[in-house]
Amino acid sequence: MSKQEKGDFPMLLDDAKALAGEIKAFKDDLHRHPELSFQETRTTGAISAKLAPLGVELIDLGMETGVVALLRGSKPGKTVALRADIDAIAQQEPEGPCSSEVPGVMHACGHDFHTAGLYGAARLLAARREALAGDVVFLFQCAEEITRGAAAMVAHGLWEKLPRKPDCLFGFHNRPELPRGRVAVLPGPIMAGKCHFELTLHGRAGHGGSPHKCVDVIVPAAAIVQAVQTIVSRSTDPLESLVCAVCSIHAGTAENFVPDTLTMTGSIRAHSDGVIAHARERIEAITRGVCAAHGCTCEVRFIPQVPVTWNGPEMTKLAQKAAEAVVGAENVAQPRPDLGSEDFAVFGRDVPAFFYWVGSGFPGQHNPCWHNKGFRTDDGALPIAAALLAQSALTALEG
């Protein structure tokens, strides 16, 4: 019995490759015109214009940036959502044949690649509308780089303004460490949960030549920086993933004055909510203890960012099936998880979700990592991204 007789869809990757030129041109346009978080007005307009001929319905969330579009299938069924992020970062890109035309702003994380890939998926699925048993929602999310866009869309009524809340959600991120042609399907944690912290120390200012008349905040700050390292090395199960780091320190104005205030900031990243909670407890205990020992006071503030990006077992089964249909089982990889964070996880708190990595590295070459000025994507992987998202929707709708 043939695939057509069984009701299966034709191979999506071949159709995606036929659209490769158009998808690549869209990606290049976005790359030349990057926009920062919550400022993606041109990008939003460009996405809406590309979607208009596909016969989708645009869902108005009352936000200035970001696009939500609904493709209604011809038959009743589930609702599946597909997501891509659209913003860029503050980074100067070296001049090149398709470099950013916006000074100091660059798509150095590949969100232009993601946006173009999701547009390609919309093209593939719109062409199959008559055979779709269910609906597909396309989420072009703003402000991922500051991990606030997903929460903003939910707060603006994303789920309530759709005809029905999606049964599941798929998203992806390019991965330079994986060569073009590979797709990562990881069960469990794939990206870290993140919590920022801010520690403010208060002492007594004075002249550097009279340290006994001052309460210096720099010395206890140095002790705190050293002690924070022991949270990973001595207070946490070594089999758990954790990054706990002070990333900035601000204090003082002159070389001969003892400052009375110091602020340090940093972040906690882990693949477990329990590990993050433990690290928070240790940071507070260390800070208060060190400050008491040095005769100064402190304020400790934690700013939760995003939860762990988690791929559950049922969603992993669907993703594995979809990935194998697109690239073959031999090209489905399981690399180690990453301790970068993704606010895709915010959506995952509300609906079952799965997050892929799509290989975007040039085979046999050095591929700079995310947020590097030399970052680039092998755009030969764009059809794979488009087909993978489309196949994920079809697999979920058929399941």
Side-chain angles (χ1 to χ4, degrees):
M1 183 179 290
S2 71
K3 288 187 175 183
Q4 291 290 351
E5 289 172 331
K6 289 190 295 183
D8 290 346
F9 288 92
M11 290 295 292
L12 285 165
L13 186 55
D14 291 341
D15 291 352
K17 288 178 178 178
L19 297 172
E22 182 182 352
I23 300 173
K24 173 70 162 63
F26 186 37
K27 186 261 184 183
D28 288 348
D29 177 70
L30 296 172
H31 192 88
R32 288 192 296 268
H33 302 93
E35 295 173 301
L36 297 175
S37 301
F38 288 130
Q39 300 176 32
E40 313 98 325
T41 52
R42 182 190 183 278
T43 304
T44 295
I47 294 167
S48 298
K50 296 292 283 187
L51 293 176
L54 304 185
V56 297
E57 302 171 29
L58 297 182
I59 308 297
D60 184 8
L61 298 186
M63 298 177 64
E64 293 185 2
T65 62
V67 178
V68 180
L70 173 66
L71 174 66
R72 294 183 185 269
S74 64
K75 306 169 188 175
K78 300 176 183 177
T79 297
V80 178
L82 305 175
R83 174 267 197 182
D85 38 18
I86 68 175
D87 54 332
I89 67 170
Q91 172 80 57
Q92 182 63 45
E93 183 173 22
E95 289 189 13
C98 186
S99 57
S100 169
E101 297 176 8
V102 182
V105 183
M106 175 189 173
H107 271 296
C109 203
H111 294 189
D112 51 345
F113 183 98
H114 305 162
T115 300
L118 181 53
Y119 164 67
R123 284 288 307 271
L124 293 171
L125 292 169
R128 291 162 169 77
R129 179 187 287 103
E130 294 304 315
L132 285 182
D135 301 337
V136 183
V137 178
F138 305 102
L139 304 180
F140 293 88
Q141 182 211 307
C142 57
E144 190 283 327
E145 292 292 0
I146 59 174
T147 61
R148 288 167 52 197
M153 295 181 83
V154 172
H156 278 77
L158 170 61
W159 308 131
E160 294 77 13
K161 292 181 179 180
L162 293 170
R164 60 174 283 177
K165 191 174 182 179
D167 294 279
C168 61
L169 167 69
F170 294 89
F172 80 100
H173 204 292
N174 72 87
R175 188 70 179 175
E177 292 84 353
L178 283 177
R180 180 194 71 241
R182 304 293 298 281
V183 171
V185 176
L186 274 68
I190 182 170
M191 305 284 282
K194 179 173 65 169
C195 179
H196 289 169
F197 59 84
E198 181 180 278
L199 314 178
T200 304
L201 279 57
H202 299 284
R204 185 168 62 247
H207 193 280
S210 302
H212 59 296
K213 298 178 182 179
C214 313
V215 177
D216 190 350
V217 290
I218 291 180
V219 174
I224 291 169
V225 171
Q226 291 295 319
V228 162
Q229 312 311 307
T230 68
I231 298 173
V232 175
S233 66
R234 289 295 179 269
S235 299
T236 304
D237 184 338
L239 298 181
E240 294 280 4
S241 300
L242 173 65
V243 169
C244 191
V246 175
C247 298
S248 77
I249 299 178
H250 304 275
T253 57
E255 74 281 354
N256 61 335
F257 292 158
V258 173
D260 62 356
T261 303
L262 178 146
T263 299
M264 65 175 73
T265 64
S267 64
I268 304 166
R269 299 172 184 268
H271 289 137
S272 162
D273 292 337
V275 171
I276 292 175
H278 167 72
R280 287 179 54 158
E281 292 174 359
R282 293 300 302 139
I283 287 173
E284 181 155 10
I286 286 169
T287 302
R288 297 196 184 283
V290 169
C291 285
H294 287 79
C296 62
T297 60
C298 65
E299 298 164 8
V300 179
R301 188 164 75 101
F302 294 101
I303 309 99
Q305 299 295 300
V306 292
V308 178
T309 302
W310 185 273
N311 293 329
E314 293 305 314
M315 290 298 295
T316 299
K317 290 179 183 177
L318 291 174
Q320 182 77 24
K321 183 177 179 181
E324 289 183 4
V326 174
V327 297
E330 69 279 8
N331 288 311
V332 177
Q334 284 197 347
R336 299 172 68 181
D338 193 89
L339 280 160
S341 299
E342 246 288 349
D343 74 346
F344 176 85
V346 173
F347 295 134
R349 291 187 298 195
D350 297 332
V351 299
F354 188 89
F355 199 67
Y356 297 99
W357 284 332
V358 173
S360 61
F362 290 85
Q365 300 183 29
H366 170 65
N367 295 283
C369 62
W370 304 321
H371 291 217
N372 183 293
K373 67 179 182 180
F375 173 83
R376 58 191 181 144
T377 55
D378 183 338
D379 292 337
L382 279 170
I384 295 173
L388 179 66
L389 288 177
Q391 184 63 60
S392 297
L394 297 178
T395 300
L397 290 175
E398 294 170 338

